[in-house]
Amino acid sequence: MKTGESDGLNQTPLDDAAIRREWRTGLISALLVLLLVFAAATRGGADIADPQTPQRLRGTGDLALVIERAKGSVQIVETSGNSRIAGVEGLGDLSHASAVFSRDQRYAFVFGRDGGLTKVDMLDQRIVARVVQSGNSIGGAISQDGSLVAVSNYEPGGVKVFKTDDLSLVADIPAEYGNGQRSKVIGLVDAPGHRFVFALWDAGEIWTLDFDASEKPVVTKYEDVGRQPYDALITPDGRYYIAGLFGEDGMALLDLWHPEKGVRRILPDYGRGNEKMPVYKMPHLEGWAIAGRYAFMPAIGSQEVLVIDMATWQEAGRIAVHGQPVFVMGRPDGRQVWVNFAFPNNDTIQVVDAEKLEVVKTFQPGKGVLHMEFEPRGEEVWISVRDLDELHVYDTATLERKAVLPADKPSGIFMTARASRIGL
Amino acid sequence: MKWLVQVISSLAVVTAVAGELPSEARQAELRYLLTQDCGSCHGLTLKGGLGPALTREALAGKPAAFLSWTIMNGRPGTAMPPWRGFVNDAEGEWLAQILLNGEVTQ
């Protein structure tokens, strides 16, 4: 600046003019910089609409993936404001599809009916890898460390295991039994110690795959666990694997802390009984509700929710409900249990008070209520209503409906918080 | 094999009601039921799931009466439930026919 040359007292009018010019130049430069910054910011904003380029920073903890079963697409939604973010198409036949999440909660692995395994980027909202790994599959699981994803297949019966980063094949385990027949595989879950556990519908067996030592898994087979295991669950602590039996009464339990003790039968009265009640939709055992020492699970063939004492594995009670239960899901705090039903009662939801052991609310969201998913801390629950092509969000305390979102024949709803839970 | 005897004994009944077509509106309902609810075991595209595939190719050579009997009465020893009470005999026969003809989706 000029001030070093003039002491103020000697300032001439010419000097004043020079100073004013200087100020003007500075002001114009500053405005130009501002303009450039503004332009850059505007361009950045335009980029948000383009899924291929990096977006403004965002977490994934409040995201969910919704299966649109008939269209072969998924929706990505967010549960903080209950809104749709994007749709992703091209996932094949998604009837009975399910999903698991990478440990960083960025990627979803979607298991389709047609054997398709698709890796979806929840942030970029696009497919990043896809393989059609069998002719007919039913679900899958992600390993404890997140490095492997396993798929259970009906046709050809068995389990295939892939690397999560590029979906390259790591292991192919045919579910062979008897004279080389292959069984449909159901109830595939992850277990602590880099294990996967699953059951063989046709063979009546439970197998474990242990990946602890290397990429070549150690297979352990438990035979004669009961006829036609139709689904299974692992307790949230990863200790007990329990398969429901369709072909006879009872459930098969494997204590993964003591696999050497083998599979034992529990709940001899669990089942369809002597009359063999027809079942219009197989119940799902995953997501069963636990409150204190009691667990709640769907009866099979009867219109009841069973209450199980987990300390003794004995039946502690039965709650009469509106239809044959499909999902019996516990709110994360365990205080409420939400139940949906098989055809022809699939328009209804009932809420059971886990302390009083009674139904406290019955309501009809619409025909084809296929799935429910609680937000991670349980203040809201998302429900898919297939025949209305809608997702409903309810406040679980007031049971008031908070939001309705359009979705094409929605079925499963999967929130990213599943990433940090054993068996989901 | 008791169910097989029942199949044969019910053939006459099935034949008697054949020919009565469900109304247009009811046909749409039945197609929806077939895709969505039968689809929960047999797959949305009927290529199979826990239950066997019900595509035209998979059913080739199976008698219509056997299929409609199975729809109405279920299949003892398997997970297939009876649908009597939700569909009547004529509707069961019609469902068997569209499955055999591969005309489930229109």
Side-chain angles (χ1 to χ4, degrees):
Chain A
M1 296 293 273
K2 276 232 158 121
T3 44
E5 287 168 27
S6 57
D7 62 4
L9 292 172
N10 293 335
Q11 266 185 357
T12 61
L14 189 73
D15 284 333
D16 280 345
I19 290 166
R20 274 200 300 276
R21 269 202 303 278
E22 195 114 325
W23 269 106
R24 210 178 298 139
T25 318
L27 205 70
I28 289 167
S29 313
L31 276 171
L32 268 173
V33 169
L34 268 175
L35 206 70
L36 278 170
V37 168
F38 180 73
T42 316
R43 251 191 67 192
D47 283 348
I48 288 172
D50 182 351
Q52 301 299 327
T53 54
Q55 304 175 20
R56 66 174 191 270
L57 288 175
R58 189 205 199 290
T60 54
D62 62 348
L63 297 184
L65 181 130
V66 179
I67 305 289
E68 294 179 311
R69 67 201 293 256
K71 212 173 124 197
S73 54
V74 295
Q75 267 193 39
I76 295 165
V77 297
E78 57 82 28
T79 62
S80 296
N82 295 334
S83 69
R84 174 196 159 104
I85 292 179
V88 179
E89 297 188 351
L91 285 86
D93 179 355
L94 293 185
S95 48
H96 207 287
S98 58
V100 297
F101 293 96
S102 61
R103 59 188 287 136
D104 63 3
Q105 302 190 5
R106 175 165 180 177
Y107 299 100
F109 299 88
V110 182
F111 311 102
R113 166 67 85 187
D114 56 2
L117 166 62
T118 311
K119 182 176 178 179
V120 176
D121 186 331
M122 300 288 285
L123 285 178
D124 268 354
Q125 301 133 22
R126 63 189 176 99
I127 293 171
V128 288
R130 177 171 158 80
V131 290
V132 177
Q133 52 82 45
S134 80
N136 199 316
S137 66
I138 190 61
I142 190 161
S143 65
Q144 188 174 31
D145 68 353
S147 68
L148 302 172
V149 61
V151 192
S152 59
N153 290 317
Y154 278 169
E155 187 55 52
V159 169
K160 282 189 178 174
V161 184
F162 301 86
K163 280 189 179 153
T164 45
D165 53 5
D166 60 359
L167 302 188
S168 59
L169 185 69
V170 171
D172 183 358
I173 317 290
E176 280 181 6
Y177 72 105
N179 301 320
Q181 304 106 297
R182 289 177 75 158
S183 171
K184 290 175 177 141
V185 171
I186 57 95
L188 172 63
V189 300
D190 61 285
H194 298 118
R195 284 178 291 181
F196 292 109
V197 191
F198 53 90
L200 280 60
W201 160 264
D202 303 286
E205 297 180 6
I206 291 174
W207 292 12
T208 60
L209 293 186
D210 189 338
F211 279 91
D212 217 15
S214 71
E215 280 194 353
K216 248 193 130 178
V218 176
V219 183
T220 307
K221 302 176 183 180
Y222 301 87
E223 295 177 0
D224 299 319
V225 303
R227 289 187 54 216
Q228 294 172 318
Y230 68 88
D231 194 21
L233 63 86
I234 189 163
T235 48
D237 59 6
R239 177 168 180 180
Y240 297 104
Y241 180 80
I242 302 169
L245 302 174
F246 183 81
E248 61 185 274
D249 289 352
M251 298 184 107
L253 178 143
L254 176 62
D255 180 351
L256 293 165
W257 286 13
H258 296 287
E260 74 283 357
K261 288 184 179 169
V263 172
R264 68 184 170 107
R265 198 70 63 83
I266 57 167
L267 302 169
D269 296 327
Y270 177 84
R272 295 186 299 147
N274 292 330
E275 290 177 35
K276 295 273 178 261
M277 294 281 288
V279 175
Y280 290 94
K281 166 120 187 59
M282 289 287 176
H284 278 258
L285 297 178
E286 176 208 292
W288 70 338
I290 292 176
R293 65 189 285 178
Y294 294 121
F296 298 78
M297 66 168 78
I300 183 159
S302 71
Q303 305 195 342
E304 291 167 317
V305 167
L306 302 190
V307 186
I308 314 294
D309 184 335
M310 290 178 67
T312 60
W313 294 112
Q314 302 287 318
E315 189 176 310
R318 291 177 178 231
I319 302 164
V321 288
H322 177 71
Q324 292 184 358
V326 176
F327 281 100
V328 173
M329 313 277 275
R331 197 172 68 177
D333 67 347
R335 182 71 195 274
Q336 292 178 350
V337 177
W338 288 52
V339 188
N340 75 330
F341 304 99
F343 173 91
N345 300 110
N346 62 8
D347 61 344
T348 298
I349 281 185
Q350 287 190 313
V351 181
V352 172
D353 183 312
E355 199 174 40
K356 295 180 189 156
L357 301 183
E358 62 186 37
V359 173
V360 290
K361 171 89 174 175
T362 301
F363 64 103
Q364 277 82 32
K367 269 183 82 177
V369 172
L370 295 190
H371 196 221
M372 305 168 278
E373 177 94 334
F374 287 94
E375 290 182 12
R377 297 196 181 194
E379 77 282 11
E380 289 181 335
V381 62
W382 286 58
I383 291 169
S384 53
V385 191
R386 181 192 65 200
D387 290 11
L388 294 180
D389 293 311
E390 285 174 355
L391 299 167
H392 294 181
V393 184
Y394 289 86
D395 180 313
T396 61
T398 63
L399 303 179
E400 181 192 344
R401 195 167 76 183
K402 306 294 281 186
V404 176
L405 285 81
D408 191 293
K409 300 277 171 286
S411 56
I413 304 166
F414 302 92
M415 295 192 186
T416 51
R418 286 173 171 251
S420 47
R421 293 179 58 194
I422 294 167
L424 292 183
Chain B
M1 288 299 103
K2 207 172 105 189
W3 62 270
L4 196 67
V5 179
Q6 284 173 290
V7 171
I8 294 161
S9 60
S10 65
L11 285 184
V13 183
V14 171
T15 316
V17 296
E20 299 165 29
L21 281 182
S23 69
E24 289 276 317
R26 182 61 182 156
Q27 286 186 18
E29 280 176 21
L30 290 169
R31 282 183 203 281
Y32 192 79
L33 179 85
L34 197 52
T35 309
Q36 301 294 337
D37 294 296
C38 303
S40 55
C41 277
H42 297 280
L44 270 183
T45 53
L46 302 178
K47 285 181 187 158
L50 201 56
L54 299 179
T55 54
R56 184 182 181 172
E57 300 73 38
L59 296 177
K62 303 248 188 326
F66 164 71
L67 296 182
S68 56
W69 191 91
T70 304
I71 292 167
M72 300 312 288
N73 301 292
R75 189 83 184 270
T78 76
M80 177 69 179
W83 292 83
R84 188 181 297 290
F86 306 111
V87 298
N88 66 32
D89 286 331
E91 291 166 350
E93 175 74 354
W94 181 81
L95 284 167
Q97 210 45 253
I98 66 164
L99 283 169
L100 280 172
N101 297 345
E103 294 166 351
V104 176
T105 49
Q106 274 201 329

